[in-house]
Amino acid sequence: MITTALIVRAVSLVLLALGVALGVFRAAHPIQDTRETLYVFGTLVEIEILDTDKDTAQAALVDVGQMLQRLHRDWHAWRPGMLSDLNEAIALGETGAVNDQLATILRRGALFDCQSDGLFNPAIGTLVGLWGFHADSPPQGAPPADTAIQPLVAAQPRMADLEISDNRIGSANAAVQLDLGGFAKGAALDMARGALAAWGIRDAVLNAGGGVEVMGSHDSRPWRVAIRDPFAWGAVAAVSLKPGEVLHTSGNYERFFDHNGQRFSHILDPRTGYPVEGIVSVSVLDTDGARADAAATALSVAGPSEWPQIAADMGITSALMIADDGAMMATPAMIARLAPPAEDATLEVQPVALPAPRANDCAVP
Ligand code: ADP
Ligand code: MG
Protein backbone atom coordinates (compact mmCIF):
# COMPACT_ATOMS: atom_id res chain seq x y z
CA MET A 1 0.00 0.00 0.00
CA ILE A 2 1.29 3.44 -0.88
CA THR A 3 1.12 5.83 2.06
CA THR A 4 1.33 9.61 2.06
CA ALA A 5 4.70 9.35 3.74
CA LEU A 6 5.97 7.16 0.92
CA ILE A 7 4.71 9.60 -1.69
CA VAL A 8 6.40 12.49 0.10
CA ARG A 9 9.61 10.48 0.24
CA ALA A 10 9.41 9.49 -3.40
CA VAL A 11 8.73 13.09 -4.42
CA SER A 12 11.61 14.44 -2.36
CA LEU A 13 13.92 11.79 -3.83
CA VAL A 14 12.88 12.86 -7.31
CA LEU A 15 13.41 16.50 -6.35
CA LEU A 16 16.82 15.64 -4.94
CA ALA A 17 17.75 13.80 -8.12
CA LEU A 18 16.43 16.69 -10.17
CA GLY A 19 18.37 19.15 -8.01
CA VAL A 20 21.59 17.23 -8.51
CA ALA A 21 20.90 16.93 -12.21
CA LEU A 22 20.16 20.66 -12.43
CA GLY A 23 23.33 21.44 -10.51
CA VAL A 24 25.37 19.39 -12.96
CA PHE A 25 23.56 21.00 -15.87
CA ARG A 26 24.23 24.48 -14.47
CA ALA A 27 27.92 23.74 -14.02
CA ALA A 28 28.20 22.64 -17.63
CA HIS A 29 25.98 25.42 -19.04
CA PRO A 30 26.18 28.41 -16.72
CA ILE A 31 23.54 30.34 -18.65
CA GLN A 32 20.77 32.39 -17.08
CA ASP A 33 18.30 33.42 -19.71
CA THR A 34 15.70 36.17 -19.19
CA ARG A 35 13.32 37.14 -21.99
CA GLU A 36 10.73 39.85 -22.35
CA THR A 37 8.52 41.08 -25.20
CA LEU A 38 7.48 44.72 -25.21
CA TYR A 39 5.11 46.47 -27.57
CA VAL A 40 6.73 49.78 -28.53
CA PHE A 41 7.45 51.76 -31.71
CA GLY A 42 4.46 50.10 -33.34
CA THR A 43 6.16 46.74 -33.18
CA LEU A 44 7.09 43.92 -30.83
CA VAL A 45 10.50 44.32 -29.23
CA GLU A 46 11.97 41.08 -27.92
CA ILE A 47 14.86 41.31 -25.51
CA GLU A 48 16.86 38.32 -24.30
CA ILE A 49 19.45 38.75 -21.58
CA LEU A 50 22.00 36.08 -20.71
CA ASP A 51 24.21 35.42 -17.73
CA THR A 52 22.57 37.90 -15.41
CA ASP A 53 20.71 37.02 -12.23
CA LYS A 54 16.94 37.13 -12.68
CA ASP A 55 16.37 40.10 -10.34
CA THR A 56 18.90 42.31 -12.11
CA ALA A 57 17.71 41.24 -15.54
CA GLN A 58 14.06 41.91 -14.64
CA ALA A 59 14.88 45.32 -13.16
CA ALA A 60 16.92 46.22 -16.25
CA LEU A 61 14.04 45.15 -18.49
CA VAL A 62 11.57 47.33 -16.59
CA ASP A 63 13.99 50.24 -16.90
CA VAL A 64 14.55 49.71 -20.62
CA GLY A 65 10.84 49.17 -21.23
CA GLN A 66 10.03 52.51 -19.60
CA MET A 67 12.75 54.24 -21.59
CA LEU A 68 11.48 52.82 -24.89
CA GLN A 69 7.89 53.83 -24.07
CA ARG A 70 9.08 57.37 -23.32
CA LEU A 71 11.07 57.54 -26.59
CA HIS A 72 8.05 56.24 -28.45
CA ARG A 73 5.92 59.10 -27.04
CA ASP A 74 8.57 61.80 -27.47
CA TRP A 75 9.51 60.80 -31.03
CA HIS A 76 6.05 59.97 -32.35
CA ALA A 77 5.40 61.55 -35.76
CA TRP A 78 1.65 62.07 -35.45
CA ARG A 79 0.47 61.56 -31.87
CA PRO A 80 0.70 64.50 -29.44
CA GLY A 81 4.16 64.70 -27.88
CA MET A 82 7.50 66.45 -28.01
CA LEU A 83 8.06 65.90 -31.75
CA SER A 84 4.54 66.87 -32.82
CA ASP A 85 4.84 70.04 -30.68
CA LEU A 86 8.06 70.83 -32.54
CA ASN A 87 6.39 70.15 -35.90
CA GLU A 88 3.58 72.55 -34.97
CA ALA A 89 6.08 75.23 -33.98
CA ILE A 90 8.01 74.78 -37.26
CA ALA A 91 4.82 75.08 -39.32
CA LEU A 92 4.12 78.40 -37.55
CA GLY A 93 7.66 79.65 -38.18
CA GLU A 94 8.46 79.42 -34.49
CA THR A 95 11.02 77.46 -32.47
CA GLY A 96 10.25 74.53 -30.19
CA ALA A 97 11.94 73.05 -27.14
CA VAL A 98 13.29 69.49 -27.19
CA ASN A 99 15.22 67.34 -24.75
CA ASP A 100 18.82 66.17 -25.32
CA GLN A 101 17.78 62.83 -26.78
CA LEU A 102 15.50 64.34 -29.42
CA ALA A 103 18.13 66.96 -30.26
CA THR A 104 20.73 64.19 -30.67
CA ILE A 105 18.65 62.04 -33.03
CA LEU A 106 17.74 65.13 -35.10
CA ARG A 107 21.42 66.10 -35.38
CA ARG A 108 22.28 62.61 -36.54
CA GLY A 109 19.34 62.68 -38.94
CA ALA A 110 20.81 65.82 -40.49
CA LEU A 111 24.12 64.00 -40.97
CA PHE A 112 22.47 61.00 -42.67
CA ASP A 113 20.35 63.27 -44.87
CA CYS A 114 23.50 65.08 -46.01
CA GLN A 115 25.55 61.90 -46.55
CA SER A 116 22.75 60.18 -48.49
CA ASP A 117 22.29 63.23 -50.72
CA GLY A 118 18.75 63.63 -49.38
CA LEU A 119 17.59 60.07 -50.10
CA PHE A 120 17.23 59.57 -46.36
CA ASN A 121 15.20 62.59 -45.39
CA PRO A 122 13.35 62.66 -42.05
CA ALA A 123 11.98 66.14 -42.92
CA ILE A 124 9.36 64.75 -45.37
CA GLY A 125 6.73 64.09 -42.69
CA THR A 126 3.96 65.91 -44.61
CA LEU A 127 4.54 63.64 -47.61
CA VAL A 128 4.51 60.49 -45.44
CA GLY A 129 1.23 61.70 -43.92
CA LEU A 130 -0.23 62.48 -47.36
CA TRP A 131 0.43 58.89 -48.44
CA GLY A 132 -1.56 57.76 -45.40
CA PHE A 133 1.27 56.26 -43.37
CA HIS A 134 0.62 58.43 -40.32
CA ALA A 135 -1.76 55.82 -38.97
CA ASP A 136 -1.41 52.56 -37.05
CA SER A 137 -2.92 50.49 -39.83
CA PRO A 138 -1.97 50.61 -43.51
CA PRO A 139 -3.85 53.11 -45.68
CA GLN A 140 -6.72 51.98 -47.90
CA GLY A 141 -7.99 53.21 -51.22
CA ALA A 142 -6.34 55.25 -53.93
CA PRO A 143 -2.94 56.94 -53.68
CA PRO A 144 -2.95 60.74 -53.27
CA ALA A 145 -3.34 63.00 -56.32
CA ASP A 146 -0.16 64.05 -58.11
CA THR A 147 -1.29 67.66 -57.71
CA ALA A 148 -1.13 67.17 -53.94
CA ILE A 149 2.29 65.46 -54.09
CA GLN A 150 4.18 67.90 -56.32
CA PRO A 151 3.98 71.02 -54.09
CA LEU A 152 5.39 68.99 -51.19
CA VAL A 153 8.36 67.89 -53.32
CA ALA A 154 8.86 71.44 -54.66
CA ALA A 155 9.01 72.84 -51.11
CA GLN A 156 12.22 70.79 -50.64
CA PRO A 157 12.14 70.21 -46.89
CA ARG A 158 15.62 69.12 -45.73
CA MET A 159 17.25 68.49 -42.37
CA ALA A 160 19.78 71.20 -43.24
CA ASP A 161 16.91 73.70 -42.88
CA LEU A 162 16.85 73.01 -39.14
CA GLU A 163 18.39 75.62 -36.89
CA ILE A 164 19.50 73.68 -33.84
CA SER A 165 20.80 75.64 -30.89
CA ASP A 166 21.10 73.41 -27.85
CA ASN A 167 17.55 72.52 -26.96
CA ARG A 168 15.66 74.97 -29.13
CA ILE A 169 14.97 74.08 -32.71
CA GLY A 170 13.51 76.07 -35.55
CA SER A 171 13.52 75.72 -39.33
CA ALA A 172 14.34 78.11 -42.14
CA ASN A 173 11.79 76.18 -44.21
CA ALA A 174 8.24 75.94 -42.81
CA ALA A 175 7.62 72.87 -45.03
CA VAL A 176 9.87 70.77 -42.78
CA GLN A 177 7.84 68.23 -40.80
CA LEU A 178 9.90 65.71 -38.90
CA ASP A 179 9.22 61.97 -39.13
CA LEU A 180 11.83 59.77 -37.48
CA GLY A 181 10.23 56.49 -38.63
CA GLY A 182 13.19 55.67 -40.87
CA PHE A 183 15.71 55.36 -38.03
CA ALA A 184 13.95 55.76 -34.66
CA LYS A 185 14.00 52.01 -34.05
CA GLY A 186 17.76 51.77 -34.59
CA ALA A 187 18.45 54.83 -32.45
CA ALA A 188 16.18 53.53 -29.68
CA LEU A 189 17.74 50.04 -29.68
CA ASP A 190 21.19 51.69 -29.46
CA MET A 191 19.99 53.56 -26.38
CA ALA A 192 18.47 50.37 -24.96
CA ARG A 193 21.85 48.62 -25.34
CA GLY A 194 23.47 51.53 -23.49
CA ALA A 195 20.93 51.20 -20.67
CA LEU A 196 21.47 47.42 -20.40
CA ALA A 197 25.25 47.96 -20.29
CA ALA A 198 24.74 50.43 -17.42
CA TRP A 199 23.01 47.59 -15.52
CA GLY A 200 26.16 45.51 -15.98
CA ILE A 201 24.65 43.30 -18.67
CA ARG A 202 27.15 42.01 -21.22
CA ASP A 203 25.28 39.47 -23.32
CA ALA A 204 21.93 40.35 -24.83
CA VAL A 205 19.99 40.45 -28.08
CA LEU A 206 17.32 43.00 -28.95
CA ASN A 207 14.99 42.26 -31.83
CA ALA A 208 12.43 44.73 -33.15
CA GLY A 209 10.65 43.93 -36.40
CA GLY A 210 13.46 44.11 -38.94
CA GLY A 211 16.15 45.34 -36.58
CA VAL A 212 18.44 43.17 -34.45
CA GLU A 213 21.13 44.54 -32.17
CA VAL A 214 23.41 42.43 -29.98
CA MET A 215 25.67 42.83 -27.00
CA GLY A 216 28.39 40.28 -26.31
CA SER A 217 27.75 36.74 -27.40
CA HIS A 218 25.49 33.76 -26.85
CA ASP A 219 27.44 31.57 -24.45
CA SER A 220 30.80 31.64 -26.29
CA ARG A 221 29.03 31.38 -29.66
CA PRO A 222 28.04 34.48 -31.66
CA TRP A 223 24.38 35.52 -31.82
CA ARG A 224 22.99 34.06 -35.04
CA VAL A 225 20.17 35.90 -36.79
CA ALA A 226 18.19 35.29 -39.94
CA ILE A 227 17.41 37.62 -42.82
CA ARG A 228 13.76 37.17 -43.69
CA ASP A 229 12.68 35.94 -47.09
CA PRO A 230 10.58 38.81 -48.44
CA PHE A 231 8.65 36.45 -50.74
CA ALA A 232 7.87 33.48 -48.51
CA TRP A 233 7.76 32.41 -44.91
CA GLY A 234 11.35 31.66 -43.92
CA ALA A 235 14.84 33.06 -44.27
CA VAL A 236 17.14 33.79 -47.24
CA ALA A 237 20.33 33.84 -45.20
CA ALA A 238 21.78 33.70 -41.71
CA VAL A 239 24.36 36.01 -40.17
CA SER A 240 26.44 35.50 -37.03
CA LEU A 241 26.67 38.86 -35.34
CA LYS A 242 29.89 39.75 -33.53
CA PRO A 243 29.67 41.52 -30.16
CA GLY A 244 28.22 45.00 -30.64
CA GLU A 245 26.95 44.45 -34.16
CA VAL A 246 23.53 45.31 -35.55
CA LEU A 247 21.54 44.21 -38.59
CA HIS A 248 18.74 46.44 -39.82
CA THR A 249 16.40 45.51 -42.65
CA SER A 250 14.06 47.85 -44.46
CA GLY A 251 11.44 46.20 -46.53
CA ASN A 252 8.44 47.23 -48.53
CA TYR A 253 6.77 44.08 -47.24
CA GLU A 254 6.72 45.66 -43.76
CA ARG A 255 4.17 48.42 -44.35
CA PHE A 256 2.45 49.02 -47.66
CA PHE A 257 -0.90 49.15 -49.37
CA ASP A 258 -2.16 47.70 -52.62
CA HIS A 259 -4.40 49.54 -55.02
CA ASN A 260 -5.49 48.27 -58.46
CA GLY A 261 -2.81 45.60 -58.36
CA GLN A 262 -0.04 48.05 -57.59
CA ARG A 263 1.92 47.98 -54.33
CA PHE A 264 2.78 51.22 -52.56
CA SER A 265 5.62 51.00 -50.05
CA HIS A 266 5.96 53.23 -46.98
CA ILE A 267 9.46 54.20 -48.09
CA LEU A 268 9.18 57.32 -50.22
CA ASP A 269 11.62 58.79 -52.70
CA PRO A 270 11.93 62.44 -51.62
CA ARG A 271 13.01 63.40 -55.19
CA THR A 272 9.74 62.27 -56.76
CA GLY A 273 7.33 62.15 -53.81
CA TYR A 274 6.39 58.56 -54.75
CA PRO A 275 7.03 55.22 -53.00
CA VAL A 276 10.14 53.31 -54.03
CA GLU A 277 9.74 50.50 -56.55
CA GLY A 278 11.87 47.57 -57.62
CA ILE A 279 13.34 46.78 -54.22
CA VAL A 280 11.90 44.43 -51.68
CA SER A 281 14.41 44.57 -48.92
CA VAL A 282 17.74 46.04 -47.89
CA SER A 283 19.77 44.79 -44.92
CA VAL A 284 22.67 46.71 -43.43
CA LEU A 285 25.24 45.25 -41.03
CA ASP A 286 27.05 47.77 -38.83
CA THR A 287 27.78 48.58 -35.19
CA ASP A 288 25.69 51.76 -35.11
CA GLY A 289 21.96 51.01 -35.11
CA ALA A 290 20.75 54.51 -36.01
CA ARG A 291 23.10 54.63 -38.98
CA ALA A 292 22.28 51.08 -40.13
CA ASP A 293 18.53 51.77 -39.94
CA ALA A 294 18.86 55.10 -41.77
CA ALA A 295 21.11 53.50 -44.38
CA ALA A 296 18.70 50.59 -44.99
CA THR A 297 16.02 53.18 -45.80
CA ALA A 298 18.39 55.32 -47.89
CA LEU A 299 19.62 52.34 -49.94
CA SER A 300 16.01 51.30 -50.60
CA VAL A 301 15.43 54.75 -52.09
CA ALA A 302 18.73 54.67 -54.00
CA GLY A 303 17.65 51.51 -55.83
CA PRO A 304 19.49 48.73 -57.66
CA SER A 305 22.06 50.90 -59.48
CA GLU A 306 22.73 53.78 -57.10
CA TRP A 307 22.88 51.96 -53.75
CA PRO A 308 26.60 51.08 -53.65
CA GLN A 309 27.57 54.78 -53.96
CA ILE A 310 25.16 55.84 -51.23
CA ALA A 311 26.38 53.03 -48.96
CA ALA A 312 29.97 54.18 -49.46
CA ASP A 313 29.01 57.82 -48.83
CA MET A 314 27.27 56.85 -45.57
CA GLY A 315 30.28 54.83 -44.37
CA ILE A 316 28.48 51.48 -44.74
CA THR A 317 30.57 48.49 -45.86
CA SER A 318 28.14 45.58 -45.42
CA ALA A 319 24.80 45.65 -47.20
CA LEU A 320 22.48 43.22 -48.98
CA MET A 321 19.76 44.20 -51.43
CA ILE A 322 16.95 41.93 -52.62
CA ALA A 323 15.26 43.17 -55.79
CA ASP A 324 11.62 42.50 -56.61
CA ASP A 325 12.62 39.79 -59.11
CA GLY A 326 14.33 37.94 -56.24
CA ALA A 327 17.91 38.81 -57.29
CA MET A 328 20.27 39.30 -54.37
CA MET A 329 23.22 41.70 -54.47
CA ALA A 330 25.66 42.39 -51.67
CA THR A 331 28.98 44.02 -50.91
CA PRO A 332 31.96 41.63 -50.57
CA ALA A 333 32.14 42.40 -46.82
CA MET A 334 28.49 41.37 -46.48
CA ILE A 335 28.89 38.22 -48.57
CA ALA A 336 31.73 37.14 -46.29
CA ARG A 337 29.25 37.19 -43.42
CA LEU A 338 26.27 35.47 -45.05
CA ALA A 339 25.53 31.79 -44.53
CA PRO A 340 22.75 29.70 -46.09
CA PRO A 341 19.70 29.70 -43.81
CA ALA A 342 19.88 25.91 -43.41
CA GLU A 343 22.45 23.19 -44.04
CA ASP A 344 20.81 21.92 -47.20
CA ALA A 345 20.05 25.40 -48.55
CA THR A 346 22.07 27.34 -51.09
CA LEU A 347 22.79 31.03 -51.32
CA GLU A 348 23.22 32.90 -54.57
CA VAL A 349 24.34 36.47 -54.13
CA GLN A 350 25.88 38.70 -56.74
CA PRO A 351 28.90 40.59 -55.37
CA VAL A 352 28.84 44.35 -55.88
CA ALA A 353 32.05 46.26 -55.19
CA LEU A 354 31.79 49.47 -53.21
CA PRO A 355 33.06 52.61 -54.95
CA ALA A 356 35.14 55.19 -53.10
CA PRO A 357 33.04 57.59 -51.03
CA ARG A 358 32.43 60.96 -52.70
CA ALA A 359 33.89 63.97 -50.97
CA ASN A 360 31.36 65.91 -48.89
CA ASP A 361 31.37 68.36 -46.01
CA CYS A 362 28.63 66.58 -44.08
CA ALA A 363 28.91 66.92 -40.31
CA VAL A 364 26.69 66.52 -37.26
CA PRO A 365 25.25 70.06 -36.79
P1 ADP B 1 10.74 49.87 -41.18
O1 ADP B 1 10.02 50.81 -40.26
O2 ADP B 1 9.87 48.89 -41.86
O3 ADP B 1 11.97 49.29 -40.58
P2 ADP B 1 12.19 51.96 -42.51
O4 ADP B 1 13.25 51.93 -41.51
O5 ADP B 1 12.64 51.99 -43.93
O6 ADP B 1 11.22 50.74 -42.40
O7 ADP B 1 11.30 53.22 -42.22
C1 ADP B 1 10.23 53.60 -43.03
C2 ADP B 1 9.60 54.84 -42.42
O8 ADP B 1 10.51 55.94 -42.56
C3 ADP B 1 8.32 55.29 -43.08
O9 ADP B 1 7.19 54.73 -42.46
C4 ADP B 1 8.37 56.80 -42.89
O10 ADP B 1 7.93 57.12 -41.59
C5 ADP B 1 9.82 57.11 -42.99
N1 ADP B 1 10.33 57.39 -44.34
C6 ADP B 1 9.79 57.05 -45.54
N2 ADP B 1 10.58 57.43 -46.57
C7 ADP B 1 11.68 58.01 -46.00
C8 ADP B 1 12.86 58.59 -46.53
N3 ADP B 1 13.10 58.68 -47.84
N4 ADP B 1 13.77 59.08 -45.64
C9 ADP B 1 13.53 59.03 -44.30
N5 ADP B 1 12.46 58.49 -43.76
C10 ADP B 1 11.52 57.98 -44.58
MG1 MG C 1 15.25 52.37 -41.70
Side-chain angles (χ1 to χ4, degrees):
M1 203 173 78
I2 301 172
T3 64
T4 315
L6 264 177
I7 292 174
V8 169
R9 242 179 103 186
V11 168
S12 47
L13 271 176
V14 168
L15 283 180
L16 190 70
L18 202 69
V20 170
L22 272 180
V24 172
F25 183 74
R26 282 234 173 90
H29 299 274
I31 288 191
Q32 270 262 16
D33 189 337
T34 311
R35 291 160 195 254
E36 180 86 80
T37 303
L38 312 163
Y39 184 75
V40 270
F41 284 99
T43 182
L44 294 175
V45 181
E46 289 168 40
I47 304 180
E48 183 178 349
I49 295 172
L50 292 190
D51 272 347
T52 306
D53 69 87
K54 278 271 182 251
D55 289 347
T56 307
Q58 296 288 5
L61 284 167
V62 169
D63 187 29
V64 165
Q66 285 169 352
M67 186 193 75
L68 290 175
Q69 297 290 2
R70 192 172 46 71
L71 292 177
H72 187 202
R73 268 200 319 275
D74 291 349
W75 295 357
H76 210 284
W78 70 89
R79 287 215 194 99
M82 200 180 291
L83 187 65
S84 65
D85 287 350
L86 175 60
N87 278 334
E88 262 175 48
I90 287 173
L92 294 170
E94 295 169 1
T95 63
V98 300
N99 65 10
D100 289 349
Q101 291 161 344
L102 182 50
T104 300
I105 186 173
L106 289 173
R107 287 175 194 274
R108 296 208 74 204
L111 173 71
F112 301 141
D113 173 338
C114 180
Q115 290 176 326
S116 69
D117 209 7
L119 301 191
F120 179 76
N121 182 354
I124 58 165
T126 308
L127 192 62
V128 178
L130 179 70
W131 277 94
F133 291 110
H134 281 172
D136 288 322
S137 45
Q140 311 223 315
D146 189 62
T147 49
I149 295 169
Q150 291 316 323
L152 303 186
V153 177
Q156 292 185 25
R158 290 291 295 268
M159 293 301 278
D161 295 323
L162 291 182
E163 291 148 351
I164 306 176
S165 74
D166 298 325
N167 296 77
R168 285 214 80 82
I169 297 185
S171 171
N173 181 349
V176 165
Q177 286 290 285
L178 301 159
D179 176 333
L180 309 179
F183 71 148
K185 229 187 295 170
L189 289 190
D190 286 345
M191 288 175 61
R193 289 194 297 172
L196 293 179
W199 279 90
I201 290 158
R202 282 186 314 238
D203 301 316
V205 60
L206 301 89
N207 189 342
V212 188
E213 305 204 355
V214 307
M215 301 166 64
S217 55
H218 182 275
D219 186 31
S220 78
R221 283 177 287 119
W223 292 102
R224 196 175 146 90
V225 303
I227 296 178
R228 241 180 84 182
D229 186 338
F231 302 103
W233 185 249
V236 289
V239 181
S240 291
L241 294 179
K242 295 176 187 162
E245 284 188 332
V246 306
L247 182 76
H248 279 272
T249 300
S250 240
N252 69 5
Y253 57 89
E254 291 278 351
R255 289 187 76 209
F256 58 84
F257 70 100
D258 291 315
H259 183 71
N260 289 347
Q262 200 180 347
R263 175 154 294 189
F264 297 96
S265 153
H266 69 140
I267 302 172
L268 305 176
D269 186 336
R271 299 168 296 191
T272 62
Y274 281 79
V276 302
E277 284 174 36
I279 286 132
V280 229
S281 91
V282 175
S283 300
V284 172
L285 177 66
D286 196 13
T287 52
D288 182 324
R291 176 166 76 164
D293 197 357
T297 305
L299 302 189
S300 300
V301 178
S305 57
E306 217 188 329
W307 73 269
Q309 185 64 61
I310 301 297
D313 295 349
M314 294 186 81
I316 298 298
T317 54
S318 300
L320 165 77
M321 170 173 288
I322 307 180
D324 59 2
D325 60 0
M328 296 204 272
M329 294 164 266
T331 61
M334 186 70 168
I335 290 181
R337 302 293 301 280
L338 295 175
E343 262 173 30
D344 55 352
T346 53
L347 190 60
E348 243 181 72
V349 188
Q350 183 198 334
V352 176
L354 275 188
R358 293 174 292 189
N360 65 52
D361 53 6
C362 300
V364 176

